[in-house]
Structure formats: C-alpha cells, structure tokens
Amino acid sequence: MSKILTEELIEQRLKDHGISMYDGDDNALAKLQKKYEFELTDSYNKEPDYSIYTETTADGYEVYVATSGDGRNICINEDIHYYENDLGDALYDAMFDYNELIYVDDLDAYYVQDAIDRAWETYVEEMSKEIEDELIEEGYEWPKVDSEKDFANEVNNILDS
C-alpha cells in the first residue's frame, strides 16, 4: 500500500518550516527578504536598485514614480503612475527581480502591504510545491479517483482516518 499524499501532510511540513498555507505571518516581510535576498527600506542612505516615491508636477499634481535605480533616469511612459494602486504590482515585481535594495518612501502605504501579501502567497505556493515534490520522492502519492463517487468515498476515508 502506498503512502497517501494530503493537503494536511503538506501543511504539517510547511509548519515545520514555520509557514502555513492558511495563516498569514507577522514576519512575512522578513522571511521574504531573506528568501529572495532583498531589503525593503524607507531610508535613503544608499543607492537603491529600485525606487518608489512621489513627485509633484510643475502644476502641483502628485504623481508616483516606480523605477529601476535611484530615480535619475526616469522613463515617463513606463515609470510615472497617476494612481497609487498601480504601485503594488511594481513593488511585487521588484521583490522578485533580483533587486537587493528597494527604496519606498512610505512603507505604511496600503500598496506595500498588498505587495507583501501577494509575495507571501507566491512564496507559500512555491514552498508547497517544493514539499509536495519532496513527499512524492519519499513515495507518497495523491489518492487516485475514478469518478465523483470514488472521490467522495476517498475524501470520507481521509477525513475518518
């Protein structure tokens, strides 16, 4: 008889690594920074690899800049945003694009937490897949089901055990 691979088994292995598929993590940013080798800061004391900050136009409007480097070489078409909600995607991408130092002028902005939450979900998915692959190498298999009835029976068997 083969060993049965379940979501619960994957979750337990994730918890052994201090991660959960179902719960957030108060230390998500620290774990993401370690895993993907970046630092997110609002301190402008070194030259950043990626920067997100606000600027004011000549006629008094506020725009958002999300650009590689320290902001000296801005491409207006690609780096200037009228709306803050576009910045979460830019920050998320920057976290995974090998930027060692990411400068954000307002770490409390909602888009920062949105990007962290999305990056955390990506991290948990990657770790879940890694653990699933490890378990398969150890001889575990997903239950085989031939029909909806078999599927329901299999789920009930798993829940009863």
Side-chain angles (χ1 to χ4, degrees), residues 96-123:
F96 293 96
D97 283 344
Y98 307 105
N99 293 298
E100 290 181 24
L101 183 62
I102 302 171
Y103 168 75
V104 176
D105 68 351
D106 182 8
L107 288 177
D108 294 325
Y110 78 90
Y111 72 84
V112 174
Q113 190 59 50
D114 286 347
I116 292 168
D117 291 345
R118 197 166 137 214
W120 182 253
E121 287 176 22
T122 300
Y123 173 61

PDB file of all heavy atoms in Angstrom, residues 96-123:
ATOM      1  N   PHE A  96      10.938  40.260  -6.796  1.00  0.00           N
ATOM      2  CA  PHE A  96      11.365  39.017  -7.438  1.00  0.00           C
ATOM      3  C   PHE A  96      12.383  39.246  -8.554  1.00  0.00           C
ATOM      4  O   PHE A  96      12.824  38.300  -9.184  1.00  0.00           O
ATOM      5  CB  PHE A  96      10.145  38.272  -8.004  1.00  0.00           C
ATOM      6  CG  PHE A  96       9.230  37.760  -6.932  1.00  0.00           C
ATOM      7  CD1 PHE A  96       8.116  38.484  -6.544  1.00  0.00           C
ATOM      8  CD2 PHE A  96       9.480  36.561  -6.291  1.00  0.00           C
ATOM      9  CE1 PHE A  96       7.269  38.025  -5.555  1.00  0.00           C
ATOM     10  CE2 PHE A  96       8.640  36.082  -5.298  1.00  0.00           C
ATOM     11  CZ  PHE A  96       7.538  36.815  -4.924  1.00  0.00           C
ATOM     12  N   ASP A  97      12.741  40.505  -8.817  1.00  0.00           N
ATOM     13  CA  ASP A  97      13.623  40.828  -9.945  1.00  0.00           C
ATOM     14  C   ASP A  97      15.067  41.067  -9.520  1.00  0.00           C
ATOM     15  O   ASP A  97      15.773  41.851 -10.148  1.00  0.00           O
ATOM     16  CB  ASP A  97      13.104  42.064 -10.692  1.00  0.00           C
ATOM     17  CG  ASP A  97      11.934  41.755 -11.584  1.00  0.00           C
ATOM     18  OD1 ASP A  97      11.694  40.565 -11.873  1.00  0.00           O
ATOM     19  OD2 ASP A  97      11.241  42.703 -11.994  1.00  0.00           O
ATOM     20  N   TYR A  98      15.526  40.411  -8.462  1.00  0.00           N
ATOM     21  CA  TYR A  98      16.923  40.478  -8.026  1.00  0.00           C
ATOM     22  C   TYR A  98      17.374  41.893  -7.680  1.00  0.00           C
ATOM     23  O   TYR A  98      18.500  42.280  -7.951  1.00  0.00           O
ATOM     24  CB  TYR A  98      17.854  39.850  -9.078  1.00  0.00           C
ATOM     25  CG  TYR A  98      17.434  38.460  -9.445  1.00  0.00           C
ATOM     26  CD1 TYR A  98      16.803  38.199 -10.648  1.00  0.00           C
ATOM     27  CD2 TYR A  98      17.639  37.400  -8.567  1.00  0.00           C
ATOM     28  CE1 TYR A  98      16.392  36.919 -10.979  1.00  0.00           C
ATOM     29  CE2 TYR A  98      17.228  36.121  -8.887  1.00  0.00           C
ATOM     30  CZ  TYR A  98      16.603  35.888 -10.095  1.00  0.00           C
ATOM     31  OH  TYR A  98      16.200  34.623 -10.412  1.00  0.00           O
ATOM     32  N   ASN A  99      16.501  42.672  -7.086  1.00  0.00           N
ATOM     33  CA  ASN A  99      16.859  43.987  -6.575  1.00  0.00           C
ATOM     34  C   ASN A  99      17.261  43.820  -5.115  1.00  0.00           C
ATOM     35  O   ASN A  99      16.445  43.416  -4.295  1.00  0.00           O
ATOM     36  CB  ASN A  99      15.677  44.951  -6.683  1.00  0.00           C
ATOM     37  CG  ASN A  99      15.334  45.261  -8.110  1.00  0.00           C
ATOM     38  OD1 ASN A  99      16.128  45.817  -8.847  1.00  0.00           O
ATOM     39  ND2 ASN A  99      14.131  44.899  -8.524  1.00  0.00           N
ATOM     40  N   GLU A 100      18.511  44.114  -4.793  1.00  0.00           N
ATOM     41  CA  GLU A 100      18.973  43.927  -3.427  1.00  0.00           C
ATOM     42  C   GLU A 100      18.405  44.983  -2.479  1.00  0.00           C
ATOM     43  O   GLU A 100      18.095  44.686  -1.339  1.00  0.00           O
ATOM     44  CB  GLU A 100      20.495  43.946  -3.377  1.00  0.00           C
ATOM     45  CG  GLU A 100      21.110  42.723  -4.011  1.00  0.00           C
ATOM     46  CD  GLU A 100      22.621  42.735  -3.936  1.00  0.00           C
ATOM     47  OE1 GLU A 100      23.188  43.402  -3.048  1.00  0.00           O
ATOM     48  OE2 GLU A 100      23.237  42.072  -4.769  1.00  0.00           O
ATOM     49  N   LEU A 101      18.299  46.229  -2.944  1.00  0.00           N
ATOM     50  CA  LEU A 101      17.797  47.298  -2.098  1.00  0.00           C
ATOM     51  C   LEU A 101      16.640  47.997  -2.804  1.00  0.00           C
ATOM     52  O   LEU A 101      16.809  48.535  -3.903  1.00  0.00           O
ATOM     53  CB  LEU A 101      18.902  48.313  -1.788  1.00  0.00           C
ATOM     54  CG  LEU A 101      18.516  49.453  -0.842  1.00  0.00           C
ATOM     55  CD1 LEU A 101      18.122  48.910   0.536  1.00  0.00           C
ATOM     56  CD2 LEU A 101      19.676  50.437  -0.698  1.00  0.00           C
ATOM     57  N   ILE A 102      15.467  47.955  -2.182  1.00  0.00           N
ATOM     58  CA  ILE A 102      14.268  48.582  -2.739  1.00  0.00           C
ATOM     59  C   ILE A 102      13.868  49.714  -1.809  1.00  0.00           C
ATOM     60  O   ILE A 102      13.558  49.484  -0.632  1.00  0.00           O
ATOM     61  CB  ILE A 102      13.117  47.570  -2.874  1.00  0.00           C
ATOM     62  CG1 ILE A 102      13.536  46.386  -3.757  1.00  0.00           C
ATOM     63  CG2 ILE A 102      11.873  48.264  -3.430  1.00  0.00           C
ATOM     64  CD1 ILE A 102      12.544  45.241  -3.759  1.00  0.00           C
ATOM     65  N   TYR A 103      13.888  50.926  -2.343  1.00  0.00           N
ATOM     66  CA  TYR A 103      13.504  52.107  -1.569  1.00  0.00           C
ATOM     67  C   TYR A 103      12.036  52.433  -1.838  1.00  0.00           C
ATOM     68  O   TYR A 103      11.619  52.532  -2.984  1.00  0.00           O
ATOM     69  CB  TYR A 103      14.375  53.307  -1.953  1.00  0.00           C
ATOM     70  CG  TYR A 103      13.848  54.607  -1.407  1.00  0.00           C
ATOM     71  CD1 TYR A 103      13.995  54.916  -0.058  1.00  0.00           C
ATOM     72  CD2 TYR A 103      13.185  55.511  -2.224  1.00  0.00           C
ATOM     73  CE1 TYR A 103      13.492  56.104   0.459  1.00  0.00           C
ATOM     74  CE2 TYR A 103      12.686  56.701  -1.719  1.00  0.00           C
ATOM     75  CZ  TYR A 103      12.846  56.988  -0.383  1.00  0.00           C
ATOM     76  OH  TYR A 103      12.345  58.156   0.119  1.00  0.00           O
ATOM     77  N   VAL A 104      11.264  52.588  -0.753  1.00  0.00           N
ATOM     78  CA  VAL A 104       9.864  53.012  -0.838  1.00  0.00           C
ATOM     79  C   VAL A 104       9.714  54.159   0.152  1.00  0.00           C
ATOM     80  O   VAL A 104      10.027  54.001   1.334  1.00  0.00           O
ATOM     81  CB  VAL A 104       8.901  51.860  -0.481  1.00  0.00           C
ATOM     82  CG1 VAL A 104       7.471  52.337  -0.472  1.00  0.00           C
ATOM     83  CG2 VAL A 104       9.065  50.713  -1.449  1.00  0.00           C
ATOM     84  N   ASP A 105       9.249  55.308  -0.316  1.00  0.00           N
ATOM     85  CA  ASP A 105       9.201  56.470   0.568  1.00  0.00           C
ATOM     86  C   ASP A 105       8.126  56.373   1.649  1.00  0.00           C
ATOM     87  O   ASP A 105       8.192  57.073   2.650  1.00  0.00           O
ATOM     88  CB  ASP A 105       9.074  57.775  -0.215  1.00  0.00           C
ATOM     89  CG  ASP A 105       7.744  57.950  -0.927  1.00  0.00           C
ATOM     90  OD1 ASP A 105       6.952  56.996  -0.980  1.00  0.00           O
ATOM     91  OD2 ASP A 105       7.515  59.056  -1.458  1.00  0.00           O
ATOM     92  N   ASP A 106       7.147  55.481   1.501  1.00  0.00           N
ATOM     93  CA  ASP A 106       6.096  55.325   2.508  1.00  0.00           C
ATOM     94  C   ASP A 106       5.804  53.835   2.713  1.00  0.00           C
ATOM     95  O   ASP A 106       4.956  53.260   2.031  1.00  0.00           O
ATOM     96  CB  ASP A 106       4.835  56.069   2.061  1.00  0.00           C
ATOM     97  CG  ASP A 106       3.718  55.993   3.088  1.00  0.00           C
ATOM     98  OD1 ASP A 106       3.953  55.488   4.213  1.00  0.00           O
ATOM     99  OD2 ASP A 106       2.605  56.445   2.767  1.00  0.00           O
ATOM    100  N   LEU A 107       6.492  53.239   3.663  1.00  0.00           N
ATOM    101  CA  LEU A 107       6.306  51.805   3.925  1.00  0.00           C
ATOM    102  C   LEU A 107       4.941  51.484   4.509  1.00  0.00           C
ATOM    103  O   LEU A 107       4.531  50.328   4.532  1.00  0.00           O
ATOM    104  CB  LEU A 107       7.398  51.282   4.866  1.00  0.00           C
ATOM    105  CG  LEU A 107       8.792  51.163   4.264  1.00  0.00           C
ATOM    106  CD1 LEU A 107       9.786  50.707   5.326  1.00  0.00           C
ATOM    107  CD2 LEU A 107       8.808  50.211   3.080  1.00  0.00           C
ATOM    108  N   ASP A 108       4.224  52.503   4.978  1.00  0.00           N
ATOM    109  CA  ASP A 108       2.891  52.280   5.542  1.00  0.00           C
ATOM    110  C   ASP A 108       1.783  52.387   4.502  1.00  0.00           C
ATOM    111  O   ASP A 108       0.614  52.197   4.833  1.00  0.00           O
ATOM    112  CB  ASP A 108       2.623  53.281   6.669  1.00  0.00           C
ATOM    113  CG  ASP A 108       3.541  53.049   7.853  1.00  0.00           C
ATOM    114  OD1 ASP A 108       3.872  51.883   8.132  1.00  0.00           O
ATOM    115  OD2 ASP A 108       3.943  54.045   8.492  1.00  0.00           O
ATOM    116  N   ALA A 109       2.126  52.676   3.253  1.00  0.00           N
ATOM    117  CA  ALA A 109       1.115  52.788   2.199  1.00  0.00           C
ATOM    118  C   ALA A 109       0.454  51.427   1.981  1.00  0.00           C
ATOM    119  O   ALA A 109       1.097  50.377   2.113  1.00  0.00           O
ATOM    120  CB  ALA A 109       1.747  53.284   0.903  1.00  0.00           C
ATOM    121  N   TYR A 110      -0.818  51.454   1.660  1.00  0.00           N
ATOM    122  CA  TYR A 110      -1.558  50.197   1.518  1.00  0.00           C
ATOM    123  C   TYR A 110      -0.974  49.311   0.425  1.00  0.00           C
ATOM    124  O   TYR A 110      -1.001  48.083   0.520  1.00  0.00           O
ATOM    125  CB  TYR A 110      -3.045  50.457   1.254  1.00  0.00           C
ATOM    126  CG  TYR A 110      -3.359  50.845  -0.164  1.00  0.00           C
ATOM    127  CD1 TYR A 110      -3.653  49.886  -1.117  1.00  0.00           C
ATOM    128  CD2 TYR A 110      -3.320  52.182  -0.576  1.00  0.00           C
ATOM    129  CE1 TYR A 110      -3.910  50.235  -2.431  1.00  0.00           C
ATOM    130  CE2 TYR A 110      -3.581  52.534  -1.873  1.00  0.00           C
ATOM    131  CZ  TYR A 110      -3.867  51.562  -2.803  1.00  0.00           C
ATOM    132  OH  TYR A 110      -4.112  51.900  -4.101  1.00  0.00           O
ATOM    133  N   TYR A 111      -0.433  49.890  -0.648  1.00  0.00           N
ATOM    134  CA  TYR A 111       0.103  49.080  -1.741  1.00  0.00           C
ATOM    135  C   TYR A 111       1.312  48.264  -1.304  1.00  0.00           C
ATOM    136  O   TYR A 111       1.590  47.204  -1.871  1.00  0.00           O
ATOM    137  CB  TYR A 111       0.428  49.939  -2.975  1.00  0.00           C
ATOM    138  CG  TYR A 111       1.639  50.828  -2.815  1.00  0.00           C
ATOM    139  CD1 TYR A 111       2.913  50.334  -3.045  1.00  0.00           C
ATOM    140  CD2 TYR A 111       1.512  52.155  -2.430  1.00  0.00           C
ATOM    141  CE1 TYR A 111       4.031  51.142  -2.899  1.00  0.00           C
ATOM    142  CE2 TYR A 111       2.609  52.964  -2.284  1.00  0.00           C
ATOM    143  CZ  TYR A 111       3.873  52.457  -2.516  1.00  0.00           C
ATOM    144  OH  TYR A 111       4.973  53.254  -2.367  1.00  0.00           O
ATOM    145  N   VAL A 112       2.029  48.739  -0.287  1.00  0.00           N
ATOM    146  CA  VAL A 112       3.183  47.992   0.221  1.00  0.00           C
ATOM    147  C   VAL A 112       2.695  46.692   0.853  1.00  0.00           C
ATOM    148  O   VAL A 112       3.216  45.613   0.562  1.00  0.00           O
ATOM    149  CB  VAL A 112       4.011  48.833   1.218  1.00  0.00           C
ATOM    150  CG1 VAL A 112       5.123  47.999   1.849  1.00  0.00           C
ATOM    151  CG2 VAL A 112       4.583  50.073   0.537  1.00  0.00           C
ATOM    152  N   GLN A 113       1.676  46.793   1.719  1.00  0.00           N
ATOM    153  CA  GLN A 113       1.145  45.579   2.349  1.00  0.00           C
ATOM    154  C   GLN A 113       0.510  44.658   1.312  1.00  0.00           C
ATOM    155  O   GLN A 113       0.637  43.434   1.409  1.00  0.00           O
ATOM    156  CB  GLN A 113       0.139  45.920   3.456  1.00  0.00           C
ATOM    157  CG  GLN A 113      -0.253  44.718   4.285  1.00  0.00           C
ATOM    158  CD  GLN A 113       0.933  44.063   4.975  1.00  0.00           C
ATOM    159  OE1 GLN A 113       1.724  44.729   5.635  1.00  0.00           O
ATOM    160  NE2 GLN A 113       1.062  42.750   4.841  1.00  0.00           N
ATOM    161  N   ASP A 114      -0.154  45.221   0.317  1.00  0.00           N
ATOM    162  CA  ASP A 114      -0.720  44.401  -0.757  1.00  0.00           C
ATOM    163  C   ASP A 114       0.374  43.611  -1.476  1.00  0.00           C
ATOM    164  O   ASP A 114       0.215  42.415  -1.749  1.00  0.00           O
ATOM    165  CB  ASP A 114      -1.471  45.267  -1.777  1.00  0.00           C
ATOM    166  CG  ASP A 114      -2.805  45.766  -1.256  1.00  0.00           C
ATOM    167  OD1 ASP A 114      -3.273  45.264  -0.216  1.00  0.00           O
ATOM    168  OD2 ASP A 114      -3.380  46.661  -1.902  1.00  0.00           O
ATOM    169  N   ALA A 115       1.481  44.266  -1.781  1.00  0.00           N
ATOM    170  CA  ALA A 115       2.588  43.590  -2.469  1.00  0.00           C
ATOM    171  C   ALA A 115       3.196  42.502  -1.577  1.00  0.00           C
ATOM    172  O   ALA A 115       3.508  41.408  -2.049  1.00  0.00           O
ATOM    173  CB  ALA A 115       3.656  44.603  -2.883  1.00  0.00           C
ATOM    174  N   ILE A 116       3.338  42.803  -0.291  1.00  0.00           N
ATOM    175  CA  ILE A 116       3.886  41.809   0.643  1.00  0.00           C
ATOM    176  C   ILE A 116       2.948  40.611   0.736  1.00  0.00           C
ATOM    177  O   ILE A 116       3.399  39.452   0.680  1.00  0.00           O
ATOM    178  CB  ILE A 116       4.121  42.437   2.031  1.00  0.00           C
ATOM    179  CG1 ILE A 116       5.264  43.454   1.951  1.00  0.00           C
ATOM    180  CG2 ILE A 116       4.412  41.362   3.076  1.00  0.00           C
ATOM    181  CD1 ILE A 116       5.398  44.335   3.186  1.00  0.00           C
ATOM    182  N   ASP A 117       1.638  40.858   0.859  1.00  0.00           N
ATOM    183  CA  ASP A 117       0.673  39.759   0.941  1.00  0.00           C
ATOM    184  C   ASP A 117       0.717  38.894  -0.311  1.00  0.00           C
ATOM    185  O   ASP A 117       0.693  37.658  -0.230  1.00  0.00           O
ATOM    186  CB  ASP A 117      -0.746  40.301   1.140  1.00  0.00           C
ATOM    187  CG  ASP A 117      -0.954  40.937   2.502  1.00  0.00           C
ATOM    188  OD1 ASP A 117      -0.117  40.734   3.415  1.00  0.00           O
ATOM    189  OD2 ASP A 117      -1.956  41.671   2.660  1.00  0.00           O
ATOM    190  N   ARG A 118       0.780  39.530  -1.463  1.00  0.00           N
ATOM    191  CA  ARG A 118       0.827  38.786  -2.725  1.00  0.00           C
ATOM    192  C   ARG A 118       2.127  37.994  -2.854  1.00  0.00           C
ATOM    193  O   ARG A 118       2.125  36.830  -3.266  1.00  0.00           O
ATOM    194  CB  ARG A 118       0.681  39.761  -3.884  1.00  0.00           C
ATOM    195  CG  ARG A 118       0.314  39.108  -5.164  1.00  0.00           C
ATOM    196  CD  ARG A 118      -0.141  40.146  -6.164  1.00  0.00           C
ATOM    197  NE  ARG A 118       0.442  39.815  -7.432  1.00  0.00           N
ATOM    198  CZ  ARG A 118       0.845  40.660  -8.345  1.00  0.00           C
ATOM    199  NH1 ARG A 118       0.719  41.959  -8.159  1.00  0.00           N
ATOM    200  NH2 ARG A 118       1.362  40.251  -9.465  1.00  0.00           N
ATOM    201  N   ALA A 119       3.242  38.602  -2.450  1.00  0.00           N
ATOM    202  CA  ALA A 119       4.539  37.908  -2.490  1.00  0.00           C
ATOM    203  C   ALA A 119       4.534  36.738  -1.511  1.00  0.00           C
ATOM    204  O   ALA A 119       5.093  35.672  -1.803  1.00  0.00           O
ATOM    205  CB  ALA A 119       5.670  38.884  -2.168  1.00  0.00           C
ATOM    206  N   TRP A 120       3.880  36.915  -0.358  1.00  0.00           N
ATOM    207  CA  TRP A 120       3.792  35.827   0.621  1.00  0.00           C
ATOM    208  C   TRP A 120       3.018  34.650   0.032  1.00  0.00           C
ATOM    209  O   TRP A 120       3.417  33.493   0.181  1.00  0.00           O
ATOM    210  CB  TRP A 120       3.151  36.327   1.914  1.00  0.00           C
ATOM    211  CG  TRP A 120       3.076  35.252   2.956  1.00  0.00           C
ATOM    212  CD1 TRP A 120       1.964  34.597   3.375  1.00  0.00           C
ATOM    213  CD2 TRP A 120       4.168  34.689   3.687  1.00  0.00           C
ATOM    214  NE1 TRP A 120       2.287  33.662   4.325  1.00  0.00           N
ATOM    215  CE2 TRP A 120       3.631  33.698   4.539  1.00  0.00           C
ATOM    216  CE3 TRP A 120       5.536  34.921   3.697  1.00  0.00           C
ATOM    217  CZ2 TRP A 120       4.438  32.954   5.393  1.00  0.00           C
ATOM    218  CZ3 TRP A 120       6.341  34.174   4.554  1.00  0.00           C
ATOM    219  CH2 TRP A 120       5.794  33.198   5.388  1.00  0.00           C
ATOM    220  N   GLU A 121       1.908  34.936  -0.635  1.00  0.00           N
ATOM    221  CA  GLU A 121       1.136  33.872  -1.275  1.00  0.00           C
ATOM    222  C   GLU A 121       1.988  33.128  -2.306  1.00  0.00           C
ATOM    223  O   GLU A 121       1.939  31.894  -2.377  1.00  0.00           O
ATOM    224  CB  GLU A 121      -0.106  34.445  -1.955  1.00  0.00           C
ATOM    225  CG  GLU A 121      -1.185  34.881  -1.005  1.00  0.00           C
ATOM    226  CD  GLU A 121      -2.368  35.537  -1.717  1.00  0.00           C
ATOM    227  OE1 GLU A 121      -2.562  35.294  -2.929  1.00  0.00           O
ATOM    228  OE2 GLU A 121      -3.100  36.294  -1.063  1.00  0.00           O
ATOM    229  N   THR A 122       2.749  33.852  -3.082  1.00  0.00           N
ATOM    230  CA  THR A 122       3.636  33.232  -4.066  1.00  0.00           C
ATOM    231  C   THR A 122       4.667  32.349  -3.378  1.00  0.00           C
ATOM    232  O   THR A 122       4.920  31.215  -3.803  1.00  0.00           O
ATOM    233  CB  THR A 122       4.336  34.314  -4.918  1.00  0.00           C
ATOM    234  OG1 THR A 122       3.337  35.075  -5.605  1.00  0.00           O
ATOM    235  CG2 THR A 122       5.304  33.706  -5.916  1.00  0.00           C
ATOM    236  N   TYR A 123       5.245  32.846  -2.313  1.00  0.00           N
ATOM    237  CA  TYR A 123       6.239  32.094  -1.546  1.00  0.00           C
ATOM    238  C   TYR A 123       5.639  30.808  -0.985  1.00  0.00           C
ATOM    239  O   TYR A 123       6.232  29.726  -1.106  1.00  0.00           O
ATOM    240  CB  TYR A 123       6.781  32.979  -0.422  1.00  0.00           C
ATOM    241  CG  TYR A 123       7.691  32.282   0.547  1.00  0.00           C
ATOM    242  CD1 TYR A 123       8.884  31.696   0.141  1.00  0.00           C
ATOM    243  CD2 TYR A 123       7.373  32.227   1.901  1.00  0.00           C
ATOM    244  CE1 TYR A 123       9.720  31.060   1.045  1.00  0.00           C
ATOM    245  CE2 TYR A 123       8.205  31.604   2.819  1.00  0.00           C
ATOM    246  CZ  TYR A 123       9.381  31.023   2.385  1.00  0.00           C
ATOM    247  OH  TYR A 123      10.201  30.401   3.286  1.00  0.00           O
TER     248      TYR A 123
END
